[in-house]
């Protein structure tokens, strides 16, 4: 309700920044851990003023197209790619793909400048998941 943020019906001077009142909610969230995942503190990017549950998270738009394209329906849990539950910045491309064959992948990228057999390098050259 409006009164939850606007105590006593006072609207002037009440911050419109959700995080100013909900930092404890943000810090205490574990599914997923918002801080470890590097989520923005602008709550309105995922949540509405109508409720905190049922948030929408645009992984495709903010990070990598995992809900669309070739990656759609190819995974079950965040942990399929994010192997550290307290650090969603850590991820692996190499566990699922045929690229887990290092020699084959090295051979295929032989002429690519700066190539490294490492997931962050995969993302830097393939930010949309395409060749």
């Amino acid at each position: 309700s409006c009164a939850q943020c606007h105590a006593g019906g006072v609207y002037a001077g009440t911050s419109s920044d959700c995080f100013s009142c909900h930092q404890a909610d943000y810090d205490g969230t574990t599914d997923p851990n918002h801080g470890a995942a590097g989520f923005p503190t602008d709550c309105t990017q995922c949540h509405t003023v109508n409720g905190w549950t049922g948030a929408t998270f645009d992984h495709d738009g903010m990070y990598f197209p995992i809900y669309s394209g070739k990656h759609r329906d190819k995974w079950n849990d965040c942990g399929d790619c994010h192997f550290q539950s307290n650090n969603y910045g850590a991820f692996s491309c190499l566990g699922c793909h045929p690229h887990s064959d290092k020699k084959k992948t090295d051979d295929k990228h032989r002429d690519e400048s700066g190539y490294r057999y490492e997931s962050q390098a995969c993302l830097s050259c393939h930010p949309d998941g395409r060749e």
Side-chain angles (χ1 to χ4, degrees):
S1 72
C2 298
Q4 288 180 299
C5 296
H6 300 282
V10 176
Y11 290 84
T14 301
S15 176
S16 61
D17 174 28
C18 305
F19 187 73
S20 66
C21 291
H22 292 282
Q23 182 175 354
D25 295 319
Y26 177 95
D27 292 342
T29 303
T30 59
D31 186 23
N33 181 315
H34 286 29
F39 285 6
T41 57
D42 177 1
C43 306
T44 62
Q45 287 190 14
C46 300
H47 299 276
T48 70
V49 294
N50 296 325
W52 292 108
T53 58
T56 58
F57 174 62
D58 185 9
H59 194 287
D60 288 18
M62 292 175 68
Y63 299 104
F64 185 81
I66 200 74
Y67 294 111
S68 61
K70 292 180 179 183
H71 292 93
R72 184 182 180 132
D73 299 326
K74 300 293 183 190
W75 57 279
N76 295 312
D77 297 309
C78 299
D80 289 352
C81 299
H82 298 283
F83 53 89
Q84 293 180 13
S85 62
N86 64 342
N87 179 5
Y88 282 85
F91 61 90
S92 175
C93 302
L94 303 171
C96 296
H97 287 271
H99 309 320
S100 58
D101 180 340
K102 184 179 182 323
K103 180 179 177 347
K104 182 178 177 182
T105 305
D106 289 349
D107 289 345
K108 187 172 183 179
H109 291 83
R110 184 184 328 267
D111 297 327
E112 297 297 328
S113 176
Y115 163 75
R116 292 183 330 273
Y117 186 76
E118 189 263 324
S119 292
Q120 292 287 346
C122 296
L123 179 63
S124 69
C125 288
H126 305 280
D128 60 5
R130 297 182 179 144
E131 288 186 32

